[in-house]
Every structure is written in structure tokens, then in C-alpha cells.
Amino acid sequence: MNIWKPHLGGRSWLGGIAVVAGFFLLNEAFVHGVFGYGLSAYYLRVITLVGISMVLAVSLTLVNGCAGQFSIGHAGFMAVGAYASAAVTHFGGAPFIALLEILPAWPVHTLRLWVSLAVGAAVGGVAGWLVGLPTLRLRGDYLAIVTLGFGEIIRVVLLNIEPTGGALGFTNIAQGPEVPGRSPDQRFALFLEETMFFWVALVATGTILVVGRLAYSSFGRSLAAIRENEIAAAAIGIDTTRAKTTAFVVSAALTGVAGGLYAHYDNYLNPSSFTFLRSVEIVTMIVLGGLGSLSGAIVGAGVLTILPEALRDLTRLFPPSVTAAAPFLASLPDYRMVLYALLLVGLMIARPQGLYGRREWPWLARLFLTRDGEKGVG
Amino acid sequence: MVGEHRMSSAMTVLATKSTTVRFGGLVAVKDLDLAVQAGQVLGLIGPNGAGKTTIFNVLTGVYRPTSGDVELEGKSIVGLPPHEIARRGVARTFQNIRLFGELSALENVMTACHLRSRAGLLATMLRTARHRAEEKEQRDLALALLERFDLAAHRHAPAKSLSYGNQRRLEIARALAMRPKVLLLDEPAAGLNPQESLVLMRQIQQLRDDFKLTIVLVEHNMRVVMGACERIHVVEQGQTIAVGSPDDIQRNPRVITAYLGNL
């Protein structure tokens, strides 16, 4: 039962500063082992990828969860954002390298990353608008088909663009184009390697905040109205096409940022990372978590990113005596994707509404809503 | 009757001018001249399939008339999308209730308050003072409306879990949250028990007075129609067969024939 009302209190700058400082300390701890909590490159990678998945899942929630419009082409927006921001970093490095002569390194690198991510967001948003405007006038399935087609078109186009590597992939994004006779500038790449966890954590938090504030507001209620009954939504004066397009553009822009993060984290892109399966994976995250729930999207992103990795270690779950008695257990990790699929099927049978349904964690809900004076009735 | 029409035509809020709606070969509404005066409760009645709901759909922009005009306060609204007509002050309820089932009663009413929202997307993301003030304003208005319709106790219940009568009243509350000029009620008494329809009948005129409304009512329950309406427009097979006061209509032989056949 919804016993929350929109948050009307002031904003808390202190909380924001504390979160940024906390992420910074975590980054220092994880990457440099400052407090003895250093993580292996593998674990750090999994955690960072979880963060990027969260951005993807939470931004898709606005379209699929809140507005009830089924988009299965978000890998396309991710690809557009990834390649756009990677191209800006790769080909537009000169002014920043010049700035490095007069300014300390980290503000310049930070600015360079932000500019690239902003371009990723803008290009993703424009792509969202171009795809959404003609198709969101249609209902339901049409959107799914068109977004699916869009995702594939993007991938095929990227396969054929030579400056960004084509089918070979986009390499050395942070180092810039190769200049014969000069060794590549590694400074930005090193900066990214050491700080990407921080940036991903920051963007993921920002995405949750932005989407949550939109979802739990007048705008979010309009989207929910469209999801519940589009004819009635129009009859109470909601410009349904406009609201859906807005949600789509915001979602595509945030997905573009996620793509940008992905590009800068791996320092490499390949069109094959953005197939239809990637789109389905993002949809699966939010369906598993519970459509329309931010908490669900966050958990779904975590589960779906960690699970395939965790299943690699399956054999270790059994004591040596058991593995010795049943040698076939040693080959269990080979079947990890089968087990992964079975687990998903099992979860959806046990909880068809997703892990969280439409509910939120109380602490998360409190960011966007305040508790109503009394208990819900009925 | 012609004189009366001419005299009050200056105050006509909503009108159709020889409006025709065709679905392929079927003529659902033919040359309809409907005039609703400001502050009036007008009943739109007729046998099943007479085209009453089609007329509502034309008035609210869901259907575009094949020919003829629809005017709101003297301006043509033909071709405007439904949300634009709603924003200009035409609210409606639906014959088959269309609430936002998963949303709470309060949220249902709040969604309809968005029309006066001026805070943009950026203000919403930043939670500016203006955005917060508007959220509070919407909430207060919605709560007041729920109070008015005796739904305050159910404000946190999902709309789909409410009883049928409560759902009907919630739909009216939601429509009123738009602060409309004209309210179109499509069979508001359908599915209500005699007690509830009696209350509804009394409420309709009260609503008109309190909210300064003009009301058009499609209804089959004749007690409600005769009790609540000042003027009645009778259609049969898409054509007007009588317009007049409840007393006139009850005595009109064409109306009696339309409803009961040739006796």
C-alpha cells in the first residue's frame, strides 16, 4: 500500500557531500588498498560492471516500468552513447592535453571525462527522441518491434564505420589516434583505470536520484496514468505522446551515459557488445527486480551481473569429499549458463511480480517521499 | 422553443452543429444539433445504440466528426486531440469505469491536478521550491475532493480495490480535479443500487452549483434523469427526436414510441 507522499522537505547538501566523499574513500580503498581493503582486478571489475548495469536498469525503469512502454532496444542507445563519448575522448583529446601543461592533472581529466559523458548523454537523448517521436504514438507491441529494429540498425552501422574501428572494435579510446613515431599519451587512460569505480558509483547514484525524483512526482504520476489507462490519461488532459517521448528521451540519455562509462572503463568498444541480447538482459533485470520498482532495478542489475560470475565458482560450494565421490560436479561450471537460465525461470515462477513488485526499500522511498501521517487504509 | 434557443444562444457553452459521424457505412450520429447552456444539467437519453456515447466521444475529441462542427465557448474544437480539449475545460467519466487501477485513490485524483502544474522537468529533477509547492497544492486539492466524495478513508487504497460505487464517485472526483467548465457523465448511475442512485441524483445538481459546472448526462435510469436534468435531449439511431423539459419529454409520443415501440 502506498502510504508515502511526495517529499516536500529541503534538500540536503551535506548528504550529497558525504556520499561523494564516501565513494572517493571506497575508490581509494578498492583500487589502492588504502585501508587494507584492496580488491583484486576481477572483483573490482564485477562491482564496476554492476554499477553500469544499475544505470542501465534504472533508466529503463522510467520507460518500461513507470510508463509501461516496452522498449527492447536500449542496447542501441547504449551503443550510440558509448561510441559518441568514446569518439569525443579519442579524437578530441588535444585541448585537454594542452591544458595539462598549465593545470593540475585531475581537474583536466575529470573535465575531459564529463565532456565525453555529456556528449554520450546528448547523442543518446537525440537518438531516443528520433526513435520515440514517431513510434510512441503507436501502442504497445509496435514500440517493442521498432526499438528492436533500431538496436540492430545501430549495431550494423557501427560495424561499418571505419574511424571507430568497425568490426575490429574501437581500441585505445583514451590514448587517442596513433601518431607514427610518437608513443601514445597514457595519462588519461591511467586516470580512468584508477577512478572509474568512483565515477560509476557517482553516476549510478545520480541516475537513481534523477529517475526516482521523476517517477515520484507529478510527471511520474502522468506516466503511471498512461500505463494504467491511456484513454483516461488523455481524457484528464495528459499529453500522452509528449509524456512518453519525454520519458523515452531521459531514459535514452541516461543509457547513453552508461554506454559512455562502459567505453571509458574498458577503453575498448566492439559492436558485438550491443546485440539484441544486451537489450534483453536489461529488460530481464527490471522484470526480475519488479517492473516499476527502483529497488528492484538495482537488485536485478546486481543479481544478473553477479550470478553468471558467481556460478563459475560452483564446484567450490561442495566439500572435497563430495567432489571426489561425484567427479561430474567438477564440470558444473561448464553448465553455468544453463543453471543461470534455470535460476531465472525458477525465480519468475516463484515470484512472477518480480523480487520487489512495485515496492521500494523504505530508506530509498524516503529519498523521494515522506511518510504520510497515518497508516494506509484498505 | 426556437425563441428560447435564440435568446440563450449567447450562453451556449458546448454545441454540435449538424454533426455527423460515420463508421464506414454505418451512420452513428446524423446532423446532430446539440446545445448545452452554461450552468445547465442536460440529459442525453435514447435507447441502446442510439449514439449517446459516440456523441461523448465526438465532444471529447476521441472521434473526429465526419462532417459538421463542435464548438466550445464559440470556438471550434474539431480536430483537437483529446488532451487539448480536456485542457480547455471538458472533463468526462466513462461508461465502463476507467480508473488508474494500480494507483491509490489519492493518486488518481492527483494525476488530474497536473493541468495547473508549471514546474518543468528540470524543476522536478532539482526539486525546486516551486515544484514542492505545486506537489503540496495538488495533494491538498485532491484530498479536499476525496473528502467531498466521502472517499478520504480510502485514499491510500488502490483504485481497483474500491467498491463499484466508490469507483464511480472516484472517477467523478478525478474529473473535477481538472476544474472543468463542462462535465460529461456517461451513465454515472449504472451499477448503483437504488439508494446510491438517489444520492447521486441529488449530488449532480449540487455539484453543478458548487463547482460552477455545466453538466451533460447520459443515463438510462429515468428517475435519475428526470430528477437531475433541466433539459433533455433525446436521440434515436443517431438523430434528435425531441428536446425539452423533463415534463415535455415524458409526454412526447415520439419518445414513448422510441422506448416502448408502437403501443
Side-chain angles (χ1 to χ4, degrees):
Chain A
M1 222 82 336
N2 182 8
I3 53 164
W4 303 89
K5 64 177 185 176
H7 202 303
L8 304 173
R11 61 199 100 160
S12 156
W13 293 107
L14 274 177
I17 292 167
V19 167
V20 174
F23 284 149
F24 179 74
L25 290 177
L26 273 181
N27 189 74
E28 292 304 297
F30 288 167
V31 178
H32 300 295
V34 171
F35 308 106
Y37 287 106
L39 286 182
S40 73
Y42 173 65
Y43 282 114
L44 193 61
R45 180 176 174 80
V46 173
I47 293 183
T48 310
L49 289 179
V50 166
I52 294 174
S53 298
M54 279 181 192
V55 179
L56 292 169
V58 171
S59 57
L60 186 62
T61 294
L62 200 58
V63 171
N64 280 29
C66 299
Q69 306 299 312
F70 219 71
S71 164
I72 46 174
H74 261 50
F77 299 121
M78 188 186 175
V80 165
Y83 271 85
S85 77
V88 169
T89 294
H90 190 72
F91 298 110
F96 296 98
I97 290 167
L99 268 179
L100 276 176
E101 304 300 324
I102 45 169
L103 287 173
W106 69 265
V108 177
H109 291 321
T110 302
L111 182 69
R112 188 173 175 186
L113 178 66
W114 283 20
V115 168
S116 295
L117 292 181
V119 169
V123 176
V126 169
W129 184 72
L130 288 176
V131 176
L133 203 61
T135 54
L136 286 167
R137 288 166 197 280
L138 307 169
R139 296 199 177 151
D141 314 340
Y142 298 100
L143 181 65
I145 303 288
V146 173
T147 51
L148 168 67
F150 161 78
E152 286 303 293
I153 289 168
I154 288 297
R155 192 177 61 81
V156 173
V157 167
L158 290 174
L159 274 175
N160 290 289
I161 297 183
E162 280 310 319
T164 55
L168 291 174
F170 196 169
T171 51
N172 287 336
I173 290 166
Q175 285 87 345
E178 255 178 70
V179 183
R182 192 136 56 90
S183 63
D185 189 340
Q186 295 289 352
R187 284 173 293 181
F188 188 49
L190 281 172
F191 168 80
L192 291 177
E193 219 166 273
E194 291 185 350
T195 56
M196 267 328 267
F197 170 81
F198 173 73
W199 296 120
V200 168
L202 212 59
V203 171
T205 311
T207 303
I208 293 167
L209 221 54
V210 164
V211 172
R213 285 178 164 190
L214 289 178
Y216 296 102
S217 71
S218 176
F219 175 68
R221 282 192 297 276
S222 297
L223 295 183
I226 291 168
R227 178 191 73 216
E228 294 292 319
N229 197 318
E230 196 161 341
I231 291 173
I236 59 167
I238 294 171
D239 186 342
T240 55
T241 304
R242 193 190 152 97
K244 284 190 285 185
T245 309
T246 306
F248 208 67
V249 168
V250 171
S251 174
L254 290 170
T255 307
V257 176
L261 286 173
Y262 183 72
H264 285 85
Y265 179 60
D266 265 358
N267 202 18
Y268 171 74
L269 285 174
N270 192 301
S272 65
S273 308
F274 306 105
T275 58
F276 168 62
L277 286 176
R278 166 77 74 161
S279 298
V280 172
E281 191 186 29
I282 310 171
V283 174
T284 313
M285 287 174 192
I286 60 174
V287 172
L288 179 76
L291 264 181
S293 160
L294 293 185
S295 317
I298 293 166
V299 171
V303 169
L304 254 79
T305 313
I306 293 171
L307 201 60
E309 297 301 323
L311 291 174
R312 287 183 201 276
D313 277 349
L314 215 55
T315 320
R316 261 202 252 159
L317 287 177
F318 304 100
S321 53
V322 176
T323 24
F328 72 90
L329 284 178
S331 60
L332 218 48
D334 300 342
Y335 296 99
R336 72 189 177 97
M337 291 322 276
V338 176
L339 289 170
Y340 170 77
L342 282 176
L343 276 172
L344 285 185
V345 171
L347 260 170
M348 287 329 284
I349 290 173
R351 276 192 80 78
Q353 75 276 41
L355 292 170
Y356 282 83
R358 282 199 183 284
R359 287 168 305 132
E360 300 285 5
W361 292 315
W363 65 266
L364 189 67
R366 220 166 291 140
L367 284 178
F368 312 116
L369 304 162
T370 53
R371 191 173 264 274
D372 200 357
E374 38 195 308
K375 289 270 171 217
V377 181
Chain B
M1 214 158 75
V2 174
E4 180 197 314
H5 182 79
R6 201 169 288 155
M7 222 166 55
S8 52
S9 64
M11 301 179 332
T12 299
V13 178
L14 189 61
T16 65
K17 306 240 162 109
S18 43
T19 301
T20 299
V21 183
R22 249 187 224 107
F23 298 115
L26 177 81
V27 183
V29 177
K30 195 176 177 204
D31 286 330
L32 182 79
D33 284 308
L34 179 81
V36 194
Q37 260 94 65
Q40 196 173 48
V41 179
L42 179 102
L44 183 60
I45 65 170
N48 283 324
K52 304 180 295 290
T53 298
T54 305
I55 293 170
F56 267 22
N57 284 336
V58 167
L59 292 175
T60 53
V62 176
Y63 297 151
R64 196 193 170 111
T66 317
S67 63
D69 203 5
V70 183
E71 289 181 356
L72 177 65
E73 294 181 312
K75 281 190 213 118
S76 174
I77 54 170
V78 169
L80 291 180
H83 68 86
E84 187 54 41
I85 292 174
R87 286 173 185 198
R88 292 186 184 197
V90 182
R92 76 178 288 186
T93 64
F94 294 88
Q95 188 177 346
N96 46 337
I97 302 174
R98 286 181 184 271
L99 287 167
F100 309 128
E102 293 277 340
L103 303 190
S104 71
L106 180 63
E107 287 170 326
N108 264 275
V109 182
M110 280 177 79
T111 47
C113 302
H114 76 105
L115 291 185
R116 269 157 288 106
S117 172
R118 292 284 166 272
L121 208 61
L122 205 61
T124 304
M125 285 187 204
L126 297 175
R127 292 266 151 121
T128 58
R130 183 184 204 164
H131 165 78
R132 281 180 272 138
E134 279 183 3
E135 283 283 334
K136 183 162 163 27
E137 193 187 314
Q138 291 189 5
R139 191 182 159 79
D140 291 346
L141 174 65
L143 277 174
L145 277 166
L146 287 180
E147 202 81 52
R148 166 76 207 253
F149 285 89
D150 291 327
L151 290 164
H154 303 288
R155 63 180 175 276
H156 297 306
K160 64 176 182 190
S161 75
L162 297 180
S163 72
Y164 196 78
N166 282 343
Q167 289 194 9
R168 283 254 171 242
R169 276 182 296 141
L170 180 58
E171 217 189 10
I172 297 175
R174 183 181 68 185
L176 288 175
M178 296 159 58
R179 302 211 173 142
K181 295 175 184 130
V182 186
L183 177 63
L184 310 179
L185 298 173
D186 200 346
E187 299 199 25
L192 300 190
N193 63 36
Q195 188 83 41
E196 286 172 325
S197 18
L198 205 67
V199 173
L200 178 81
M201 186 182 89
R202 294 204 196 96
Q203 270 181 342
I204 287 172
Q205 293 196 332
Q206 191 67 46
L207 283 180
R208 185 262 318 264
D209 297 341
D210 292 356
F211 293 90
K212 313 238 173 326
L213 290 170
T214 303
I215 294 178
V216 185
L217 181 71
V218 163
E219 186 50 69
H220 281 300
N221 183 329
M222 283 307 145
R223 263 177 75 192
V224 172
V225 174
M226 296 303 164
C229 300
E230 287 135 6
R231 198 173 165 80
I232 293 174
H233 196 114
V234 192
V235 285
E236 190 198 10
Q237 293 181 350
Q239 297 186 61
T240 305
I241 57 169
V243 184
S245 70
D247 286 340
D248 295 343
I249 296 300
Q250 272 166 313
R251 285 193 299 265
N252 188 312
R254 279 198 69 187
V255 177
I256 295 167
T257 313
Y259 269 90
L260 302 174
N262 284 308
L263 294 175

